[in-house]
Amino acid sequence: EAQVTQNPRYLITVTGKKLTVTCSQNMNHEYMSWYRQDPGLGLRQIYYSMNVEVTDKGDVPEGYKVSRKEKRNFPLILESPSPNQTSLYFCASGGVGTPTGEQFFGPGTRLTVL
Amino acid sequence: LAKTTQPISMDSYEGQEVNITCSHNNIATNDYITWYQQFPSQGPRFIIQGYKTKVTNEVASLFIPADRKSSTLSLPRVSLSDTAVYYCLVGDIRGFQKLVFGTGTRLLVSP
């Protein structure tokens, strides 16, 4: 089954404790992206990657890191999480050049930073 | 990237047709218009996409006037399960760079 998976789905942590949220897709997509969603602010893009070893900042990259060493994986790293990074995070992927440019989203990771 | 403007919320009743309009005055020649649907605590899901005139699939229709400065997503005979947030995106489908979702339109369908 074609899908985007994220782990963990739920995470409660404390300020300053480094964490990684994993994202993996099995559709051989070139494009992958991370979004955060907060009440009243909609979905905001954090980082995106157009292919392996190619990453770029989205609209809210501060406090986050990403890497794209393999085509299927795009982990989101919070080196020193802070309470303002409490949010619902979504990973997405898409096939560059596909007719519709459709993005496929993961199930989300709800992060709470105390 | 063309900025979009949508109503914050809309209310409807089961069985009615719902039309959600999106304004995108600065749409570029290479931009397509794409709509996504999002249920609470789930990731957005692609609904429909178009470039001009009308596009229809099993879920919705998309109407785009000749000047392409706006578009209308039409949901025929909505049901309670259509209660969701609907996002209009405008961008060049040849790439995904910095796609902006915005805050979307929250549709509430009542019995």
Side-chain angles (χ1 to χ4, degrees):
Chain A
E1 179 190 355
Q3 61 182 348
V4 177
T5 57
Q6 296 178 225
N7 282 293
R9 295 289 313 281
Y10 302 90
L11 179 61
I12 300 174
T13 189
V14 295
T15 299
K17 186 176 180 181
K18 180 179 179 180
L19 67 91
T20 299
V21 183
T22 65
C23 173
S24 183
Q25 51 95 2
N26 62 1
M27 295 167 279
N28 200 37
H29 284 162
E30 296 85 0
Y31 170 87
M32 296 187 75
S33 181
W34 277 102
Y35 296 86
R36 62 177 289 175
Q37 186 167 38
D38 303 289
L41 296 177
L43 279 155
R44 294 179 293 169
Q45 190 179 53
I46 303 171
Y47 270 95
Y48 65 95
S49 170
M50 297 302 293
N51 216 322
V52 176
E53 302 293 358
V54 180
T55 63
D56 206 348
K57 296 178 180 179
D59 293 315
V60 288
E62 294 76 22
Y64 304 95
K65 286 176 58 178
V66 293
S67 67
R68 188 88 182 276
K69 295 185 173 63
E70 303 167 284
K71 197 172 187 179
R72 64 182 292 126
N73 296 323
F74 190 46
L76 179 69
I77 303 157
L78 284 73
E79 295 268 1
S80 183
S82 63
N84 63 13
Q85 292 178 298
T86 292
S87 187
L88 178 58
Y89 291 87
F90 291 102
C91 180
S93 73
V96 174
T98 55
T100 62
E102 177 181 355
Q103 291 187 71
F104 294 83
F105 283 79
T109 295
R110 188 168 294 278
L111 172 66
T112 301
V113 183
L114 302 175
Chain B
L1 206 65
K3 180 179 177 180
T4 60
T5 303
Q6 304 174 233
I8 293 173
S9 63
M10 296 182 67
D11 295 320
S12 183
Y13 293 96
E14 281 189 294
Q16 291 189 334
E17 178 184 74
V18 172
N19 296 308
I20 306 174
T21 297
C22 179
S23 173
H24 29 80
N25 291 318
N26 297 321
I27 190 168
T29 302
N30 294 326
D31 287 345
Y32 278 67
I33 301 152
T34 309
W35 286 80
Y36 282 78
Q37 174 192 56
Q38 185 182 25
F39 298 113
S41 296
Q42 293 185 28
R45 183 175 70 104
F46 175 93
I47 301 176
I48 197 167
Q49 183 182 84
Y51 184 80
K52 60 181 179 180
T53 62
K54 177 184 175 181
V55 179
T56 298
N57 61 22
E58 64 278 6
V59 176
S61 294
L62 179 59
F63 298 92
I64 306 168
D67 66 5
R68 303 202 325 125
K69 293 184 183 300
S70 66
S71 58
T72 299
L73 174 73
S74 181
L75 305 171
R77 297 179 299 281
V78 294
S79 65
L80 297 178
S81 63
D82 292 315
T83 292
V85 178
Y86 294 83
Y87 297 94
C88 165
L89 280 73
V90 173
D92 185 346
I93 63 166
R94 296 174 301 177
F96 291 84
Q97 288 88 339
K98 299 194 72 170
L99 291 177
V100 178
F101 271 80
T103 55
T105 297
R106 186 175 299 275
L107 173 65
L108 175 63
V109 180
S110 301

